[in-house]
Amino acid sequence: MPSHVFADRPDRPHEHGAVDALISQTRRLRGEVDAVRRETAADHGDPAGRWQRALCDLAVHQLNDLHGHLAQLREGPPHPLPRAAPPAPPEPTRGSLLSRVGSAEWNLLNDEASWSGELYQILGRDPAKPPLSLDELPSLVHPEDQPMLTAMVTDCLVDGKPIDGEFRVVRGDGDVRQVHMMGEPVLAADGSTASMWAVLRDVSELRRSQRTVRETRDSLQRQRHIAQTEHRLAVELQEAVLPPWRGSLRFPQGGSGSLDLAAHYLPSSSPALIGGDWYDALELTDGRTLLSVGDLTGHGVTVTSGMAMLLGALRGMAVTGTGPGRLMGCLNQLLDASAQPALGSAVCCLYDPGDHTLTWAQAGHPAPLLFRGGTGRALTPPEGVLLGATTGAAYGQAEEQLHPDDLLLLYTDGLVPRRSREVATRRLLALAPRFTEARSAQECVRVAMEEFGVALREDDACLLVARVGA
């Protein structure tokens, strides 16, 4: 190679020191990225995991490439192979080809060419053979890319334009590799082109990694689009068969001694997880009010249709005078006898405004919270939570005497991450002073949403507030 590419001067110690420091930094960074790659989930069915791993692979390839280039820089200028070269050393693996750069010079005055040993390896050519001239070079190139290479070389020699492009090389064993070529013309004293020099590197694995990143990114975007579409369809179906739970609601108020009611639905942070959490309230013909919250197992359209069946059955049995304990047992039987989804948990309450009595039952669900006089507590669960429900017997049920201005709060699991019921209960009870100051059930719901509404949750959740009238 001529001196304009590699300066003919002795290496200075401080330059080697700087290159060595960069090599050490690159090696350390490569190890850290490789550690991240090993920790990345290898689940091939997970588009996000495949995309993350592809990015790590690409980063490792590029760091390997950088490490090899710095090593060559430290080794100094390459030397062209003589015409009668010794037998070639064992060809390196594809991975190591990334770290080597081949060089060439074509002298137009004497029609001679010189190639470095790395270039022979990159192009898969026997180093015992003479280097190809510029006219012969396209014979190694894929037929579809030959016009592009010819145009780049012509522009360089005629117009003095630098070469910077990629083309495919067909090696002697039939393997097709992607090669990146950069070069410039060397001008003679009279301004004519005396020679052309170039450096070439095999970027096949680098481009493969980049394609993998693009493909996994596109796959991830498609999966997200499908999930969003399913989410939208599930929401539309849910809104078609159920009350519109996509915001704070007010239930109609009854007459004297009724409950002031408000509720809110909190969706999952994942748009693909339309869950089966519900809240419901119904004023019965005898003046009592049915309150319920709960969840069905699973996600999606199946759960949505199952919820419609559950609420229909729940209301129908309540109208016939079925008490909460017996009602919970019947619901359990109904869902056990049907296809998925199954009942995950539920709490059912009947409030009688005549004597302010609350009768309630639960099935694996957080107990209702009662707030009175600026403090709150969880209601004591009924004894015998389940008494042979599979044979038609009732769940245990409990009674609680309520007072005017008492606040009853029902909620489902999922209000906080990892469905931590204890954490949710503790944070709700801490809101007792603010609930006491609130003027309505709807305002209490807003207070709760300020505490829980912005959290990233793994599942959906519901909250229902009932305030006892005079």
Side-chain angles (χ1 to χ4, degrees), residues 15-351:
E15 290 180 343
H16 269 303
V19 173
D20 287 338
L22 289 173
I23 290 175
S24 298
Q25 293 174 15
T26 304
R27 187 183 298 115
R28 182 170 59 255
L29 183 57
R30 182 179 59 184
E32 293 173 354
V33 174
D34 196 47
V36 173
R37 180 177 60 173
R38 289 194 301 269
E39 295 173 0
T40 303
D43 182 6
H44 297 288
D46 177 21
R50 291 199 306 269
W51 174 73
Q52 292 170 353
R53 189 167 183 83
L55 276 178
C56 289
D57 289 339
L58 176 60
V60 169
H61 277 310
Q62 291 175 324
L63 287 170
N64 283 338
D65 205 359
L66 176 61
H67 183 274
H69 294 166
L70 291 173
Q72 276 191 277
L73 181 61
R74 181 178 58 184
E75 293 168 6
H79 300 283
L81 289 177
R83 291 292 180 92
E91 185 171 324
T93 64
R94 288 186 177 185
S96 63
L97 282 176
L98 275 171
S99 64
R100 307 301 295 178
V101 174
S103 58
E105 182 180 5
W106 290 274
N107 191 311
L108 304 181
L109 301 181
N110 55 23
D111 200 26
E112 289 186 354
S114 60
W115 287 8
S116 68
E118 289 82 10
L119 184 56
Y120 277 93
Q121 294 176 347
I122 290 172
L123 300 180
R125 186 167 173 80
D126 184 356
K129 295 181 178 180
L132 299 181
S133 66
L134 283 176
D135 292 333
E136 297 170 327
L137 185 62
S139 64
L140 297 179
V141 179
H142 191 282
E144 295 180 1
D145 296 345
Q146 289 177 3
M148 177 179 61
L149 174 64
T150 300
M152 288 193 301
V153 172
T154 300
D155 289 344
C156 180
L157 298 179
V158 176
D159 299 327
K161 296 181 179 179
I163 292 177
D164 187 354
E166 293 185 12
F167 50 85
R168 289 166 291 176
V169 169
V170 182
R171 293 157 57 94
D173 57 2
D175 188 21
V176 178
R177 308 295 289 171
Q178 188 82 10
V179 173
H180 182 209
M181 180 177 182
M182 296 181 66
E184 290 183 357
V186 180
L187 302 181
D190 60 359
S192 63
T193 302
S195 63
M196 189 188 85
W197 65 269
V199 291
L200 298 91
R201 65 174 180 146
D202 187 326
V203 294
S204 304
E205 298 305 313
L206 186 62
R207 298 296 177 253
R208 181 198 60 77
S209 295
Q210 291 172 335
R211 284 195 302 272
T212 301
V213 170
R214 288 195 301 270
E215 291 168 359
T216 54
R217 179 197 59 202
D218 293 343
S219 174
L220 181 59
Q221 290 175 341
R222 286 193 298 271
Q223 292 289 337
R224 287 175 175 171
H225 177 70
I226 292 172
Q228 290 170 352
T229 302
E230 291 178 346
H231 176 270
R232 177 177 53 80
L233 292 175
V235 169
E236 291 175 356
L237 176 60
Q238 195 174 58
E239 292 178 345
V241 299
L242 298 173
W245 293 350
R246 289 303 174 264
S248 299
L249 301 179
R250 274 204 136 153
F251 292 90
Q253 295 187 6
S256 176
S258 66
L259 298 173
D260 175 20
L261 299 174
H264 194 77
Y265 172 83
L266 297 91
S268 164
S269 299
S270 171
L273 298 181
I274 284 288
D277 283 34
W278 85 84
Y279 59 77
D280 191 36
L282 177 67
E283 188 173 10
L284 305 177
T285 56
D286 60 5
R288 295 184 300 171
T289 301
L290 171 70
L291 306 174
S292 68
V293 297
D295 68 272
L296 299 178
T297 60
H299 300 88
V301 176
T302 302
V303 174
T304 302
S305 58
M307 195 186 307
M309 177 190 69
L310 179 144
L311 287 181
L314 183 69
R315 291 181 169 192
M317 288 185 287
V319 168
T320 64
T322 305
R326 175 66 177 148
L327 193 151
M328 295 295 295
C330 293
L331 277 183
N332 201 54
Q333 276 188 298
L334 174 66
L335 290 171
D336 280 349
S338 63
Q340 291 292 324
L343 182 63
S345 63
V347 62
C348 181
C349 306
L350 270 177
Y351 173 67

